[in-house]
């Protein structure tokens, strides 16, 4: 699938060359993508060794239990959910570049905390990591969209940038897996976390010297003129969301798909292990998690590359997202009901990862179309509240639900997300028809 993805990228590039992309657009893409990939590399480096780095600690002479590791995970997740909207408000009002630099600082502190065996330090590190995650998934994207809109560039280049960002992210993830394994072999499970700091610093320095600051337009204007500069921007953002069903639909799609994705991330290893143990030919085979992860990332690359090809052929992002969510629902349903079939399970997993590759550039473009600039980061973090609620609820109920029950919830979430994108597509079609009458 990697060779297919590369071929798709080449086809897209030929189309782009014929369109004579303006030099300022190329400059913006380069400045954003280099920073984005470096910051994502740091995030990917830490993920594979999360459980191992905390389970290797001795606190008060006792090893950290699996239950404690799970609680540390939930601390970071809850921090992202609770403080995300407030952080988003600060990013919109104080600056997206500043928010990106704050991510570098917070994630570096979180990585450094893994050297400690003090529970209080580890908890503070998880809080810093949770705050940093809120910034990673809002500030860089908001900066890109803000710069793109400020310069008045054609919207097709924004879609292309999102496609490249997440196609490259898949390659970054594959490279991160290799770097993390080498670093862990040399310096133990804390190694990948310390290595990530170098990438964070590199990305931060590039952002510092190559990005201009931008803020949510009306937020900056309001704060400089209003008699009540401390008015609740979060309440204002919620009011705008409620008044525009398109924003609510985009937010619902984000929360439901990413909730299903996180459930999948937590449940695919035990499900695959179970399927292998029941297989006649593979019963005594160790699960090659590293190779499987690389295959997943290759599928993501195929999805992201397909997004750019579809955009270059004039397919609307709503139509792309509708097809992607429909396939994601089908693949998750197959994974839930496959009955131990290794072939069906593998096909379902790979198809879902292709959908993941299509999802991220699609949702980025949908947010750029429908989220107002003055509330962009706040809304992106508000969308994370139901996402966090879904994931934490499933995580805490996993003994009752089991793997199949968790995947059934993910399938239901994806089906509802599919209905939401179909509704959004119809709303946009009706608005276009009204304008052309």
């Amino acid at each position: 699938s990697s060779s297919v993805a590369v071929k798709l990228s080449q086809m897209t590039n030929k189309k782009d060359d014929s369109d004579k992309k303006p030099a300022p657009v190329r400059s913006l893409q380069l400045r954003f993508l280099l920073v984005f990939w470096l910051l994502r590399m740091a995030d990917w480096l830490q993920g594979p060794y999360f459980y191992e780095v905390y389970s290797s600690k001795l606190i008060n002479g006792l090893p950290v239990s699996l239950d404690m590791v799970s609680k540390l995970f939930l601390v970071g997740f809850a921090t992202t959910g609770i403080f995300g909207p407030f952080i988003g408000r600060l990013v919109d009002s104080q600056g997206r570049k500043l928010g990106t630099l704050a991510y570098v600082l917070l994630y570096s502190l979180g990585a450094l905390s893994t050297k400690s065996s003090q529970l209080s330090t580890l908890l503070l590190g998880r809080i810093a990591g949770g705050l940093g995650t809120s910034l990673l998934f809002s500030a860089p994207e908001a900066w890109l969209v803000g710069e793109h809109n400020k310069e008045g560039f054609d919207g097709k280049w924004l879609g292309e940038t999102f496609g490249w960002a997440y196609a490259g992210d898949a390659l970054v993830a594959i490279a991160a897996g290799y770097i993390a394994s080498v670093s862990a072999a040399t310096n133990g499970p804390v190694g990948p976390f310390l290595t990530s700091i170098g990438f964070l610093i590199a990305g931060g320095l590039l952002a510092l010297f190559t990005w201009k600051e931008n803020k949510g337009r009306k937020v900056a204007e309001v704060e400089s003129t209003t008699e009540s500069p401390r008015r609740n921007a979060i309440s204002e953002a919620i009011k705008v969301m409620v008044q525009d069903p398109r924003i609510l639909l985009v937010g619902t799609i984000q929360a439901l798909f990413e909730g299903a994705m996180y459930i999948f991330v937590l449940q695919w290893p035990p499900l695959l292990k179970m399927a292998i143990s029941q297989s006649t030919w593979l019963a005594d085979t160790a699960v090659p998690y590293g190779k499987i992860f690389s295959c997943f990332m290759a599928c993501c690359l195929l999805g992201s590359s397909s997004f750019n090809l579809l955009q270059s052929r004039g397919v609307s992002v709503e139509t792309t997202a509708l097809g992607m969510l429909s396939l994601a629902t089908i693949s998750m349903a197959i994974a839930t009901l496959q009955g131990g079939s290794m072939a069906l399970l593998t096909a379902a997993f790979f198809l879902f990862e292709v959908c993941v590759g299509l999802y991220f550039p699609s949702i980025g473009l949908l947010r750029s179309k429908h989220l107002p600039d003055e509330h962009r980061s706040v809304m992106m973090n508000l969308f994370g509240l139901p996402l966090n609620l879904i994931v934490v609820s499933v995580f805490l109920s996993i003994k009752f639900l089991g793997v199949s029950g968790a995947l059934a919830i993910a399938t239901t979430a994806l089906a509802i997300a599919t209905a939401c994108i179909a509704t959004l597509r119809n709303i946009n079609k009706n608005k276009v028809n009204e304008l052309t009458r």
Side-chain angles (χ1 to χ4, degrees):
S1 61
S2 295
S3 60
V4 175
V6 171
K7 182 65 176 175
L8 286 171
S9 296
Q10 291 172 346
M11 293 171 65
T12 304
N13 289 342
K14 289 179 182 178
K15 176 72 175 176
D16 293 340
D17 291 341
S18 66
D19 287 342
K20 295 182 179 179
K21 186 188 305 178
V25 173
R26 287 198 297 270
S27 173
L28 176 60
Q29 288 179 330
L30 182 64
R31 285 181 287 132
F32 169 75
L33 290 172
L34 288 176
V35 172
F36 180 78
W37 288 332
L38 284 168
L39 300 185
R40 290 291 291 162
M41 172 65 83
D43 189 44
W44 282 118
L45 280 169
Q46 296 186 19
Y49 288 87
F50 178 87
Y51 278 97
E52 189 172 349
V53 76
Y54 288 109
S55 62
S56 66
K57 302 296 181 186
L58 291 174
I59 298 178
N60 296 326
L62 298 174
V64 173
S65 65
L66 181 59
D67 180 62
M68 178 59 71
V69 175
S70 299
K71 288 177 180 177
L72 286 168
F73 170 80
L74 289 177
V75 166
F77 221 82
T79 300
T80 301
I82 295 170
F83 295 102
F86 301 97
I87 289 176
R89 185 258 184 279
L90 288 173
V91 166
D92 284 331
S93 62
Q94 303 302 314
R96 282 76 182 261
K97 173 182 173 179
L98 181 62
T100 301
L101 295 176
Y103 159 74
V104 170
L105 175 61
L106 288 167
Y107 231 57
S108 296
L109 291 174
L112 285 171
S113 72
T114 61
K115 287 181 65 66
S116 174
S117 292
Q118 296 292 322
L119 181 58
S120 57
T121 302
L122 296 175
L123 286 171
L124 288 173
R126 289 300 301 140
I127 291 171
L131 295 174
T133 299
S134 296
L135 291 164
L136 174 62
F137 289 102
S138 58
E141 179 182 313
W143 179 87
L144 170 66
V145 175
E147 286 296 300
H148 189 278
N149 292 339
K150 184 171 67 176
E151 298 296 334
F153 296 142
D154 192 311
K156 66 182 178 182
W157 304 124
L158 188 60
E160 180 190 79
T161 307
F162 281 127
W164 284 1
Y166 289 103
D169 188 43
L171 294 174
V172 165
I174 295 171
Y178 174 76
I179 295 171
S181 63
V182 172
S183 182
T186 305
N187 301 302
V190 75
F193 288 79
L194 299 181
T195 302
S196 73
I197 296 174
F199 289 96
L200 288 167
I201 292 173
L205 288 174
L206 273 177
L208 180 64
F209 293 111
T210 66
W211 287 14
K212 297 177 183 177
E213 186 59 277
N214 71 46
K215 304 177 182 179
R217 289 191 302 271
K218 291 184 180 178
V219 169
E221 294 168 6
V222 166
E223 291 199 340
S224 64
T225 59
T226 185
E227 294 178 3
S228 179
R230 294 186 179 181
R231 76 178 196 166
N232 196 334
I234 297 176
S235 297
E236 183 67 22
I238 293 173
K239 181 180 177 181
V240 173
M241 288 171 59
V242 172
Q243 292 174 343
D244 190 339
R246 294 172 300 176
I247 297 176
L248 284 177
L249 287 168
V250 171
T252 303
I253 292 164
Q254 177 180 321
L256 291 174
F257 184 92
E258 294 184 19
M261 182 183 69
Y262 278 111
I263 292 172
F264 170 79
V265 167
L266 292 171
Q267 301 308 319
W268 76 259
L271 186 59
L272 195 60
K273 186 175 182 179
M274 187 188 310
I276 289 177
S277 67
Q278 295 173 356
S279 171
T280 304
W281 305 101
L282 303 172
D284 298 325
T285 304
V287 182
Y289 292 113
K291 291 180 180 178
I292 293 169
F293 177 77
S294 295
C295 290
F296 283 172
M297 291 303 101
C299 291
C300 284
L301 176 59
L302 176 61
S304 299
S305 301
S306 299
F307 176 83
N308 269 347
L309 179 62
L310 291 168
Q311 287 290 292
S312 71
R313 298 292 172 85
V315 180
S316 71
V317 65
E318 290 83 5
T319 300
T320 299
L322 178 59
M324 174 270 296
L325 287 167
S326 299
L327 288 174
T329 304
I330 293 169
S331 65
M332 194 63 70
I334 292 172
T336 305
L337 304 171
Q338 44 76 37
S341 170
M342 191 66 190
L344 278 176
L345 189 62
T346 303
F349 282 178
F350 286 174
L351 179 57
F352 182 73
E353 287 294 335
V354 171
C355 293
V356 171
L358 276 164
Y359 166 77
F360 281 104
S362 297
I363 197 67
L365 196 53
L366 286 170
R367 286 190 297 243
S368 72
K369 289 178 65 174
H370 297 296
L371 271 58
D373 187 63
E374 60 270 23
H375 299 301
R376 186 176 307 279
S377 297
V378 174
M379 289 181 176
M380 288 172 68
N381 280 285
L382 283 172
F383 298 160
L385 292 175
L387 158 64
N388 282 273
L389 181 62
I390 291 169
V391 176
V392 171
S393 298
V394 171
F395 191 87
L396 293 176
S397 306
I398 195 62
K399 289 183 180 179
F400 170 75
L401 293 170
V403 174
S404 296
L407 292 181
I409 291 175
T411 303
T412 303
L414 290 169
I416 297 172
T418 304
C420 288
I421 190 60
T423 303
L424 178 62
R425 184 169 174 260
N426 289 334
I427 291 174
N428 287 341
K429 274 190 172 181
N430 292 336
K431 286 188 176 292
V432 170
N433 290 337
E434 289 175 4
L435 292 173
T436 54
R437 283 176 185 173

